[in-house]
């Protein structure tokens, strides 16, 4: 009477994430924490700038009314500080919630390095570091005594350069996100509920 051969053990299931991005330790990141494409992030960036133009315009108008400023250059430094504060409050509030309107449109969300919602102080810190989009041309222009038009041209050159530097980051994140301990992730819209069958 022949003995039954023991069944060979089933191969272990592959539980490793299939995302190509890797964390700081070299381990693969879950697909939910991978960065959206650079093209989509920059489209969101441009849309954000369009919306912020309206926010800044209304804030500057309110400042002029409150301070009774009759000249565009009157109280210039106070106006710049006020607009910086308004921008910080605007972005910190919406990043604390996870998304601005532009980010909702492009299905992008900001989270911390572990995928958790940002604390308000963390969102403010990200706002300060995000000025790397504009600060280098502004500082260089001020040091060289350049005209405003020249500084604007420098900004137009610097913005795409800085955006492309994200490709050098291991997870393709913008560098101010890496410094702030935050990340941009894909945020698909919630699935629509199936229609209720009619009686």
């Amino acid at each position: 009477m022949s003995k039954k051969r023991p069944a060979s053990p089933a191969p272990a299931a592959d539980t490793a994430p299939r995302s190509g991005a890797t964390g700081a330790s070299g381990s693969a990141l879950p697909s939910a924490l991978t960065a959206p494409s650079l093209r989509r992030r920059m489209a969101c960036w441009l849309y954000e700038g369009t919306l912020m133009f309206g926010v800044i315009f209304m804030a500057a108008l309110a400042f002029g009314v409150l301070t009774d400023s009759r000249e565009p250059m009157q109280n210039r430094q106070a106006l710049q500080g006020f607009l910086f504060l308004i921008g910080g409050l605007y972005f910190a509030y919406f990043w604390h919630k996870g998304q601005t309107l532009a980010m909702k449109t492009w299905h992008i969300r900001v989270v911390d390095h572990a995928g958790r919602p940002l604390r308000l102080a963390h969102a403010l810190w990200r706002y300060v570091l995000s000025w790397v989009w504009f600060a280098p041309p502004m500082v260089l222009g001020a040091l060289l005594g350049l005209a405003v038009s020249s500084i604007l041209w420098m900004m137009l050159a610097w913005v795409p350069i800085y955006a492309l530097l994200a490709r050098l980051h291991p997870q393709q994140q913008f560098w101010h996100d890496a410094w702030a301990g935050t990340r941009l992730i894909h945020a698909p819209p919630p699935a629509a509920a199936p229609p209720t069958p009619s009686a």
Side-chain angles (χ1 to χ4, degrees), residues 19-106:
S19 168
T22 57
S25 61
S27 59
L29 285 174
S31 59
L33 294 182
T34 55
S37 69
L38 183 59
R39 179 180 300 179
R40 183 147 60 95
R41 280 179 286 168
M42 291 310 296
C44 178
W45 189 91
L46 290 172
Y47 186 26
E48 196 80 76
T50 303
L51 297 178
M52 276 304 296
F53 179 81
V55 174
I56 293 301
F57 177 81
M58 295 303 297
L61 185 63
F63 179 87
V65 172
L66 292 174
T67 60
D68 195 25
S69 300
R70 302 181 184 276
E71 302 261 343
M73 300 301 290
Q74 188 177 354
N75 298 324
R76 179 182 176 183
Q77 293 182 345
L79 174 60
Q80 291 174 341
F82 179 73
L83 295 180
F84 180 83
L85 178 62
I86 291 297
L89 293 175
Y90 173 87
F91 283 114
Y93 174 78
F94 283 106
W95 290 343
H96 172 61
K97 298 291 184 181
Q99 294 171 298
T100 61
L101 177 60
M103 294 168 76
K104 284 183 179 180
T105 302
W106 288 95

Side-chain angles (χ1 to χ4, degrees), residues 98-158:
Q99 294 171 298
T100 61
L101 177 60
M103 294 168 76
K104 284 183 179 180
T105 302
W106 288 95
H107 309 308
I108 296 173
R109 179 178 293 273
V110 61
V111 294
D112 70 5
H113 64 90
R116 298 168 300 204
L118 300 187
R119 293 175 288 105
L120 197 57
H122 202 169
L124 282 170
W125 179 233
R126 183 180 191 262
Y127 170 71
V128 172
L129 293 178
S130 69
W131 274 88
V132 71
W133 284 106
F134 309 106
M138 293 171 66
V139 172
L140 183 60
L143 292 175
L144 298 178
L146 300 179
V148 174
S149 59
S150 299
I151 297 176
L152 291 176
W153 281 111
M154 289 171 62
M155 283 186 182
L156 288 176
W158 168 246

